[in-house]
Amino acid sequence: MLAYIARRILLMIPTLFGIMLLSFVVVQFAPGGPVERIIAQLQGVDAGATARVSGAGGDLSGAAAQRPGVGAADASTSRYRGAQGLDPGFIQSLERQFGFDKPAHERFAKMIWDYARFDFGKSYFRDVSVLQLIKEKLPVSITLGLWMTLLSYAISIPLGIRKAVRDGSPFDVWTSAVVIVGYAIPGFLFAILLIVLFAGGSFWQIFPLRGLWSDNWNELSLWGKVADYFWHITLPIVAMALGAFATSTLLTKNSFLDEIRKQYVLTARMKGLSERQVLYGHVFRNAMLIVIAGFPGAFIHAFFAGSLLIETIFSLDGLGLLSFESIVNRDYPVVFANLYIFSLLGLVVNLLSDLTYTWIDPRIDFETREA
């Protein structure tokens, strides 16, 4: 098992490298960039898609850059749309500030070397380090991701098992209808409904609309802080858990139904074991494997991408919103740092999921299978 873990850890290195390389190459061809954004602000226009060349420091293009007799300063000015009339020295200073005066391969090599040491540099447009930014947003994302995952699994696993045991009964039919409706409703739409109903939209003012805690947080007692914390996260967590709850419930039910119909279950019943012993002593261990397999993806989705709209609707300043704003503003250090951290986190969680397989079912031996 140690050899398998070592191989998986070593495999993370080329996987991370490939993810970062592909993303870096895509950025080279994306329109706009930090230099173009500053130029657009100076010109009083929108920075989106105003550049002819990638803002990540792509090579010179266009006839002006190739025309004989054009100096370095003129070429530097001609590479950005909207830069005409600006001091070429100012454009060059912007490129040096963002590191775009170096070739793309040198910038990529430096980024990989820095990231390997968890040195993510500073944000382009905020006078703070990227790690500090991420640290400030982590409480929101951890809250949303962790509680949403725990809530959805805590409800969906018992419900899925119950539905499998009572397959075809009225209970199974009406709960399936509720689950399907929950899956069909987008999380952000359900969040708006919760706001209208319970956050002072049109009916009751029961829950707060923004933030993770009240303004008087520091003045509250320990239990007061706990109550205030759960008071603030109730609506966002319920809105996020709706879709995940439906998916994991159906996954659990189908997994248990598949195992219940197998021959070893019939044999266990013939030996005189009670239904509870059969279900939790034999079926549970095998049926839960596929549910556990979906945990890493569900957690990463909830922790990052899945929380973007919820963070926006409930005014929660988390990593999802930070990443979106960084992409829009072409704040590449923040974008790449988030990509690197969550890619690494996803690989580690997948490894932990495989190790959990062996804990639930010792018959699984990944090392033997690889051999």
Side-chain angles (χ1 to χ4, degrees):
M1 180 57 69
L2 291 178
Y4 170 77
I5 296 175
R7 284 195 298 270
R8 286 289 300 271
I9 294 176
L10 290 176
L11 186 61
M12 292 179 187
I13 298 175
T15 303
L16 272 176
F17 182 85
I19 292 173
M20 300 305 296
L21 177 61
L22 180 61
S23 303
F24 187 85
V25 170
V26 169
V27 165
Q28 306 311 300
F29 297 97
V35 175
E36 288 89 341
R37 181 170 181 264
I38 291 181
I39 292 174
Q41 289 177 343
L42 291 175
Q43 300 292 351
V45 297
D46 185 10
T50 58
R52 293 181 57 190
V53 184
S54 165
D59 295 333
L60 288 175
S61 64
Q66 303 172 359
R67 201 179 310 152
V70 176
D74 293 332
S76 175
T77 303
S78 65
R79 59 197 299 191
Y80 304 108
R81 180 177 299 175
Q84 289 77 12
L86 295 178
D87 182 7
F90 171 71
I91 302 298
Q92 290 178 343
S93 67
L94 286 179
E95 291 179 336
R96 285 193 300 270
Q97 176 182 344
F98 296 124
F100 297 157
D101 56 331
K102 299 181 177 63
H105 66 277
E106 290 186 13
R107 288 183 283 109
F108 178 74
K110 182 179 185 304
M111 181 183 72
I112 292 297
W113 172 246
D114 290 340
Y115 282 15
R117 297 176 290 125
F118 289 92
D119 178 8
F120 300 108
K122 296 183 67 174
S123 167
Y124 283 161
F125 303 109
R126 313 182 195 206
D127 190 22
V128 64
S129 69
V130 175
L131 278 179
Q132 181 62 32
L133 269 178
I134 294 176
K135 181 180 177 182
E136 291 174 358
K137 315 301 180 182
L138 266 180
V140 172
S141 295
I142 290 177
T143 290
L144 295 179
L146 182 61
W147 286 113
M148 190 280 284
T149 305
L150 292 177
L151 178 63
S152 63
Y153 272 75
I155 296 176
S156 61
I157 291 177
L159 179 59
I161 295 174
R162 185 69 172 173
K163 286 172 62 63
V165 172
R166 302 183 61 179
D167 183 42
S169 67
F171 172 81
D172 180 44
V173 173
W174 73 262
T175 53
S176 293
V178 173
V179 166
I180 292 173
V181 170
Y183 182 77
I185 298 177
F188 72 90
L189 187 60
F190 188 60
I192 294 174
L193 175 62
L194 292 176
I195 291 175
V196 172
L197 292 176
F198 303 112
S202 299
F203 294 89
W204 301 283
Q205 177 69 56
I206 300 176
F207 297 98
L209 186 57
R210 62 178 62 245
L212 283 182
W213 40 71
S214 302
D215 294 335
N216 62 337
W217 167 267
N218 294 327
E219 302 173 4
L220 299 175
S221 64
L222 176 60
W223 290 111
K225 290 181 178 179
V226 172
D228 184 76
Y229 171 75
F230 282 104
W231 183 48
H232 278 77
I233 69 171
T234 297
L235 294 187
I237 297 303
V238 170
M240 287 186 66
L242 185 67
F245 153 78
T247 303
S248 50
T249 298
L250 294 178
L251 178 64
T252 303
K253 175 192 173 182
N254 293 333
S255 178
F256 270 80
L257 278 178
D258 184 57
E259 291 296 325
I260 288 173
R261 293 165 180 167
K262 289 184 177 179
Q263 184 64 39
Y264 75 89
V265 176
L266 178 61
T267 303
R269 287 171 176 165
M270 292 177 63
K271 289 181 178 180
L273 297 179
S274 67
E275 196 65 24
R276 184 178 183 84
Q277 289 175 320
V278 171
L279 187 62
Y280 292 101
H282 293 76
V283 175
F284 184 85
R285 183 175 62 181
N286 296 325
M288 284 303 296
L289 288 176
I290 191 172
V291 179
I292 293 173
F295 178 82
F299 179 75
I300 296 299
H301 177 78
F303 192 65
F304 181 54
S307 63
L308 171 58
L309 291 176
I310 301 299
E311 289 178 11
T312 303
I313 292 172
F314 289 99
S315 301
L316 299 173
D317 195 7
L319 290 177
L321 187 59
L322 172 66
S323 298
F324 175 75
E325 292 177 345
S326 300
I327 292 173
V328 172
N329 295 326
R330 304 301 194 268
D331 198 346
Y332 294 133
V334 180
V335 173
F336 283 121
N338 274 300
L339 176 64
Y340 180 85
I341 291 173
F342 280 99
S343 297
L344 180 60
L345 180 62
L347 293 171
V348 172
V349 171
N350 274 310
L351 175 58
L352 294 177
S353 177
D354 287 347
L355 297 179
T356 307
Y357 288 162
T358 62
W359 174 68
I360 293 179
D361 190 349
R363 295 172 300 174
I364 297 179
D365 189 347
F366 291 104
E367 190 168 359
T368 302
R369 289 189 176 188
E370 286 192 346

CSV table of all heavy atoms in Angstrom, one decimal, residues 35 123 136 159 168 234 297 341:
chain,number,residue,atom,x,y,z
A,35,VAL,N,-2.6,44.6,-18.6
A,35,VAL,CA,-2.1,45.8,-19.3
A,35,VAL,C,-3.2,46.5,-20.1
A,35,VAL,O,-3.4,47.7,-20.0
A,35,VAL,CB,-0.9,45.5,-20.3
A,35,VAL,CG1,-0.5,46.7,-21.0
A,35,VAL,CG2,0.3,44.9,-19.5
A,123,SER,N,-1.3,39.9,-5.8
A,123,SER,CA,-2.4,40.2,-6.8
A,123,SER,C,-2.0,41.4,-7.6
A,123,SER,O,-1.3,42.3,-7.2
A,123,SER,CB,-3.7,40.5,-6.0
A,123,SER,OG,-4.6,41.1,-6.9
A,136,GLU,N,-8.3,35.1,3.5
A,136,GLU,CA,-9.4,35.9,3.9
A,136,GLU,C,-10.7,35.3,3.4
A,136,GLU,O,-11.8,35.4,4.1
A,136,GLU,CB,-9.2,37.3,3.4
A,136,GLU,CG,-8.1,38.1,4.0
A,136,GLU,CD,-7.9,39.4,3.3
A,136,GLU,OE1,-8.6,39.7,2.4
A,136,GLU,OE2,-7.0,40.2,3.8
A,159,LEU,N,-32.0,8.2,3.7
A,159,LEU,CA,-33.1,8.3,2.8
A,159,LEU,C,-33.0,7.3,1.6
A,159,LEU,O,-33.9,6.6,1.3
A,159,LEU,CB,-33.4,9.7,2.3
A,159,LEU,CG,-34.6,9.9,1.4
A,159,LEU,CD1,-35.9,9.4,2.1
A,159,LEU,CD2,-34.7,11.3,0.9
A,168,GLY,N,-40.7,0.8,-4.6
A,168,GLY,CA,-42.0,0.6,-5.2
A,168,GLY,C,-43.2,0.9,-4.3
A,168,GLY,O,-44.3,0.9,-4.7
A,234,THR,N,-27.7,29.3,7.4
A,234,THR,CA,-28.9,28.3,7.2
A,234,THR,C,-29.4,28.4,5.8
A,234,THR,O,-29.5,27.4,5.0
A,234,THR,CB,-30.0,28.6,8.2
A,234,THR,OG1,-29.6,28.4,9.5
A,234,THR,CG2,-31.2,27.8,7.9
A,297,GLY,N,-15.6,14.5,-5.9
A,297,GLY,CA,-16.1,15.5,-6.8
A,297,GLY,C,-17.2,16.4,-6.2
A,297,GLY,O,-17.3,17.6,-6.5
A,341,ILE,N,-4.2,25.4,-6.4
A,341,ILE,CA,-4.5,24.9,-5.0
A,341,ILE,C,-5.7,23.9,-5.1
A,341,ILE,O,-5.6,22.8,-4.5
A,341,ILE,CB,-4.9,26.1,-4.1
A,341,ILE,CG1,-3.7,26.9,-3.8
A,341,ILE,CG2,-5.6,25.6,-2.8
A,341,ILE,CD1,-3.9,28.2,-3.0
